[in-house]
Structure formats: structure tokens, C-alpha cells
Amino acid sequence: MAQRTGRSSGSEWKRQRQRMASWEAAERKRQAKERARQAHQDYLAEQQERASGRTREAAERLAELTGILHAALDARAAPLDLTAGKATPALPVLDLGRDASPSPAPNWADYEPREPGAIGRMLGRNKRFDELTARQRQRFDRDLVRHQQAEQARQQRVAAAQAQHNELVAAAVRAATEHNAAIDRRRERVLAGERIATSDYFQQVIDSVRLPAGCPTARRAGYVPESTMLVIEWDLPGFDVVPTDKEFRYVKTRDTVEVSRGRSITERRQAYRDLIAQIALVALYVVFRSDPADLVHTVVVNGVVDGIDSATGQPNRTCRITLRATRKHFEEVNLRKVKPVDCAQIHFAAQISGHPDDVQPVTPIVDFGMADPRIVESADVISELDRHPNLVDLTAEEFEHFIQNLFARMGFETYKLPNSGDGGVDVLAYDHDPVRGAKYVIQAKKYTHKVQPSAVRELHGTVQHEGANKGILVTTHGFTSGCYEWSNGKPLQLYDGTHLIALCRQYGIEARIVLPLKSAE
């Protein structure tokens, strides 16, 4: 009976072990399935987050592109330090090494032999002492001469090293002085409103503006002192800078993250127009806020894009936005609260491309080539030694004939009206192009002072009276900011002396403008 009970207990224990093994196997399978399910859920969540992340990135990118103005305002533009970069001479250290201190001279006490004592004298050692003393004296004298020679050589080396060091110090001081003097001269030229120096100053100002990735960094600034005007050509990003994708989703059936909603062409156009309007307003902001001495009264901004002409496949450069702003108009604006496109178009009368995706260009208010300081300077506008005819030396009627000839050279059909009864018209010009054909009223002002707004108002009245498409006022000097202020948004074009010389140069006419004296403004 006991044996049967033992066999029964062993079988039961075996069955329990089998049931335990079976349960453990089932548990492992269940856990593996649970892990697989959790891994799948984690993967789905990861893909969903990936889709959400790409949606956020698209929104953040658009916000970055359309937040340029506020980023510039937060950076707080201010005049550049015109003394920055001044150098303190780096004076070399005189290192004499071992020659810095003289070596000690021989001391007789170190050579003198000890005198013999009483016993030594009794033993007759005085004679040996006298001989040793004589030898030591010779040795001492020889070492003393050598020391004096070595000291003389050391002093000569020290003098040579000091002379060389003085030359190096003088050279370092001279270099720093010349460097600092150049900075002072540049500062003086900027504050005096010299063309090249002031253009370079504002070039540094606009180059300091940082835009989001994908925006070009090329910009150019040209200062026109006759009209205290700065013309800026700013390279804009192309239309494709605006992200086309708006929302993303994860599609389980294809196991991929895909675009679920894109931006409409209307939305992209609005975003792009907002972007380029903000860039133009940023240009105005940094120039007017960085002006160190009331040098600029008017700013013209031309935003341009490099691209490919779809019809010819050739590179082209088109203007997408152009505006002109006076300091007075700028000060009336709170840039923190404006709608950029409304501010640019309504307040500053900007022209903005209506269909930037179709490369619909606008005509610059002032072409940068007419203000490029290097082109103007190379034309020798103000050189007293220039042999080109000085337009200021012409009579008023001769100047009107000159302007007529210039516009004829430009391809217009021109008529010079008699001086009496011309109704404020000096030259009538016609463009017979079948697309852009128009009638122009031209007034020529040979002035040695700035043109006042009254002349611009009179020209506008004449344009309306003549039924012309546009009025052009050309002068040998410049315009007050009030002239630009009043002409904004009207069919008027103002050419100051700098622009006139640039036109002459462009069409191969030799001319210069040399004013007899700087006129009182």
C-alpha cells in the first residue's frame, strides 16, 4: 500500500510539473504577444508623432518666414560704432635673457691666498706665500680684464637689442596710429555724407540683418548725397521658399507619413507677399534707426529675385517689390502693429508683384544702377579735372535741349516746346511701343540747390492737364524729402544729378556735374 502511494505521489508531482511547464510556456507566449502588441502601438504612436512633428515644422517654418519684421524689431537696430576696430598697439616685450644682468666682477678676496701663520713663518714659508700671491694677482688681473671685455660685449648686445626693440615698438605704435587714423578718416567721411563712405556704412548696416535659412544674403546700398537718399537692392528668396505642405498624417495601410493637406496657391501668394513686404520694412527700419547723423532722408528699397525665364530658359533678375519712404513717413508707423502688406502698399505706396509665382515683375522706383556709388564715382561726376561738359555751365535752354537729346538717345520721340507759353512743359516724349506706349511730360531744372515740393506739385498738375501717362522731373542737383513724400503713389519720376549722370553714362553721353560751391540746404 505504501509502495502504491509513493508511485501515486510521483505521478502527481510529474503532472504538476507538466502543468507548470505548460502554464509557463503559455505565459511566455502571452507576454511575447503583449510585447509585440505594445511594440506595434509604440510604433504607431511614433509614426503619429512623426506626422505631427512634420506638421509643426511646416507651421514653424512659415511662422519664421513671416516673423522677420518682429525679429528685427526685437534685435533693436542702432547706429554702428564708427570708432569700432581701433587698435591698441601690441608692444613687444624686451627679453634680454642672460644679458639682462651683468655677471659679478672678480673679487680679489676670492683669489688672495691665506697668509702663513707664526709656525709657517718660522718654517720659511713667506717666500712661497709671496710667489703664490703674485700668481694669484696675475690670475685675478687676467680674469678682471676678461670680465670687463665680456661686460662691454654684453652692454653692446643690450644696446643693440634695445635699439631693435625700440624700432619694433615704434613700428607697432605707428601701425596702430595709422590704423586708428584710417578709422577716424572713415568716420569723418561718413558723418560728412561722402558718397562712397556713407554707402559702405549702410552696406554694413544692411549686411548685419540675419534672415531665416533659405533667404539670400546678397544686398547692395548706394547713397545719393544730392537728395540725401539711400537706394537698396535686396536679393529676395524665390516663391518656392514658402512651404507647400501644411499638414501630415500617418497612413497605416501604406505604413508611410504623407501630406494630408497642402497650402493653396492663394495662401502661398499671400504668405510670400507678406514675407517680401516684411523684408522691405526691415530695410527701412535698420537704415533709419542706424543713421548716425541724419544722413538719409529718403530710402528706396528694390527687392529682386534671380531666376530662370521660363520662355527662354535664360537667367533673369526681376523686381518683386519696390517702395520709397521718407523719414517723416517712416516715423508715422508703429511697425509692431502693422499688417506688412498694407503698410507697404497703402502707407508707402509700394508696388508688389501680384503673382510672384508667375514671375510678374514690377518696375523699380529708382534703378539701383543709377545710385551705385562705384559706377557714379567712376563716371567722375565731381572731378574738377574732368574734361566732360559740365551741365551746370549750360544755360537753362541749353539744358532743356540736352535733356531732349538724352531722351531721344533712350529711344523716345521727343519735342522741345518753346520757352514761352509751354504750360510748364519743357519736353514732350512719346514711347510708341505697342505694349508700354505712353506720353511723358518732362521738366528740366538746372539747379545748384535742391528742388522743392512745389515744383513736383506743378509737374503733377501739368501731367493731368496734358493727359500724359507720366511726368519726369530732371535736375542737376537733388530733391528734398518732401518731393519724394508728395510724389509717392503718383505717376511721377524724379531724376537727381546722380541719376542724370548715370543715365548719360548708360547711353554713351559725356557729361558731368560740378557745383560751384556747396549750396545752403
Side-chain angles (χ1 to χ4, degrees):
M1 185 69 181
Q3 187 177 2
R4 189 180 302 122
T5 303
R7 285 198 298 267
S8 176
S9 298
S11 299
E12 183 63 26
W13 178 78
K14 186 175 181 181
R15 285 194 295 272
Q16 287 178 355
R17 286 196 59 185
Q18 289 174 344
R19 285 197 296 271
M20 179 61 70
S22 177
W23 179 86
E24 288 175 349
E27 182 63 17
R28 286 195 297 271
K29 186 175 181 181
R30 185 191 67 79
Q31 290 178 354
K33 187 175 181 181
E34 177 61 24
R35 285 195 298 270
R37 186 191 67 80
Q38 187 60 49
H40 182 64
Q41 290 297 326
D42 291 345
Y43 176 78
L44 293 179
E46 181 183 337
Q47 297 306 308
Q48 295 287 359
E49 179 55 33
R50 183 176 162 218
S52 299
R54 293 187 63 180
T55 299
R56 285 194 302 272
E57 288 173 4
E60 288 168 359
R61 174 60 171 168
L62 186 65
E64 181 186 33
L65 291 172
T66 55
I68 289 172
L69 179 56
H70 281 268
L73 296 176
D74 291 340
R76 296 184 178 276
L80 304 180
D81 183 1
L82 290 170
T83 63
K86 281 197 170 185
T88 300
L91 301 181
V93 177
L94 177 61
D95 183 8
L96 297 175
R98 293 181 178 180
D99 288 337
S101 301
S103 58
N107 188 346
W108 170 244
D110 297 330
Y111 292 79
E112 185 179 13
R114 292 181 58 184
E115 291 186 20
I119 298 176
R121 286 194 298 270
M122 291 173 60
L123 296 174
R125 294 178 180 173
N126 283 341
K127 183 178 179 182
R128 290 178 59 192
F129 172 75
D130 292 340
E131 291 174 353
L132 179 60
T133 299
R135 288 197 302 273
Q136 288 296 92
R137 174 63 66 178
Q138 289 177 350
R139 180 184 168 202
F140 170 76
D141 291 342
R142 184 172 61 251
D143 289 351
L144 183 62
V145 169
R146 288 175 179 172
H147 175 269
Q148 291 171 344
Q149 292 173 342
E151 176 60 18
Q152 185 178 8
R154 185 192 72 82
Q155 291 178 357
Q156 290 174 349
R157 291 195 300 274
V158 168
Q162 286 178 333
Q164 183 181 20
H165 176 261
N166 291 340
E167 289 179 5
L168 293 174
V169 168
V173 171
R174 186 166 55 251
T177 301
E178 291 173 357
H179 173 80
N180 295 341
I183 291 177
D184 287 335
R185 288 193 298 271
R186 174 181 178 268
R187 177 180 179 275
E188 291 168 3
R189 290 197 297 270
V190 170
L191 296 180
E194 290 188 11
R195 188 187 308 275
I196 292 289
T198 307
S199 296
D200 289 343
Y201 171 84
F202 284 106
Q203 183 69 52
Q204 189 178 353
V205 167
I206 62 176
D207 282 344
S208 68
V209 177
R210 297 290 176 260
L211 296 182
C215 295
T217 57
R219 301 141 198 181
R220 295 193 290 172
Y223 182 63
V224 183
E226 297 87 348
S227 297
T228 55
M229 177 170 64
L230 188 75
V231 181
I232 296 173
E233 185 176 80
W234 195 299
D235 279 36
L236 303 173
F239 181 69
D240 57 0
V241 75
V242 179
T244 58
D245 303 330
K246 191 170 187 178
E247 292 183 4
F248 293 81
R249 66 176 180 179
Y250 172 63
V251 182
K252 287 196 292 185
T253 55
R254 289 190 290 274
D255 190 24
T256 182
V257 173
E258 299 178 352
V259 177
S260 61
R261 189 153 66 102
R263 301 185 192 279
S264 68
I265 188 64
T266 300
E267 187 178 1
R268 293 183 67 207
R269 285 173 179 168
Q270 290 173 344
Y272 186 75
R273 283 162 58 85
D274 189 74
L275 165 65
I276 63 178
Q278 287 195 44
I279 291 176
L281 295 178
V282 166
L284 297 182
Y285 168 72
V286 296
V287 167
F288 283 126
R289 287 291 179 263
S290 302
D291 192 336
D294 197 29
L295 299 171
V296 176
H297 295 166
T298 305
V299 178
V300 173
V301 181
N302 298 324
V304 298
V305 173
D306 283 325
I308 301 295
D309 189 320
S310 60
T312 65
Q314 297 299 319
N316 65 356
R317 189 169 175 81
T318 57
C319 184
R320 304 292 178 86
I321 182 170
T322 182
L323 65 78
R324 178 171 53 205
T326 64
R327 185 181 293 274
K328 178 183 175 184
H329 263 165
F330 174 78
E331 296 296 345
E332 294 171 354
V333 171
N334 182 349
L335 291 177
R336 287 280 182 188
K337 298 183 177 180
V338 299
K339 292 182 178 180
V341 174
D342 289 348
C343 180
Q345 281 190 313
I346 298 172
H347 189 73
F348 293 118
Q351 299 175 48
I352 304 178
S353 175
H355 296 284
D357 51 312
D358 293 332
V359 196
Q360 184 183 56
V362 296
T363 302
I365 293 173
V366 176
D367 189 271
F368 183 80
M370 293 186 179
D372 189 330
R374 286 140 192 90
I375 293 176
V376 174
E377 285 291 310
S378 65
D380 225 359
V381 176
I382 60 174
S383 171
E384 294 290 348
L385 301 176
D386 197 329
R387 297 180 181 180
H388 296 169
N390 183 9
L391 300 184
V392 176
D393 293 338
L394 303 179
T395 66
E397 185 171 2
E398 287 172 339
F399 182 64
E400 291 171 8
H401 278 290
F402 179 86
I403 296 302
Q404 178 195 6
N405 293 335
L406 170 60
F407 277 81
R409 183 75 67 90
M410 293 166 63
F412 292 90
E413 180 183 343
T414 60
Y415 299 92
K416 168 74 175 66
L417 299 189
N419 287 337
S420 58
D422 59 9
V425 180
D426 295 327
V427 177
L428 281 177
Y430 295 90
D431 183 352
H432 295 297
D433 185 276
V435 176
R436 66 172 189 271
K439 175 183 178 181
Y440 298 84
V441 169
I442 303 173
Q443 284 187 356
K445 303 288 186 185
K446 195 209 73 169
Y447 283 179
T448 57
H449 57 271
K450 288 184 180 180
V451 176
Q452 298 298 315
S454 57
V456 181
R457 289 194 292 269
E458 290 171 6
L459 174 60
H460 186 244
T462 303
V463 169
Q464 293 177 319
H465 176 74
E466 290 287 333
N469 301 88
K470 181 176 287 189
I472 301 174
L473 202 160
V474 186
T475 181
T476 48
H477 197 273
F479 298 92
T480 65
S481 59
C483 294
Y484 294 117
E485 212 168 274
W486 199 88
S487 64
N488 253 8
K490 298 180 178 65
L492 301 175
Q493 210 158 354
L494 309 182
Y495 290 103
D496 58 26
T498 293
H499 299 159
L500 174 57
I501 293 301
L503 277 177
C504 292
R505 182 180 177 85
Q506 183 179 350
Y507 288 95
I509 298 176
E510 294 185 350
R512 64 186 177 126
I513 295 175
V514 181
L515 301 175
L517 289 172
K518 187 173 181 180
S519 56
E521 305 292 10

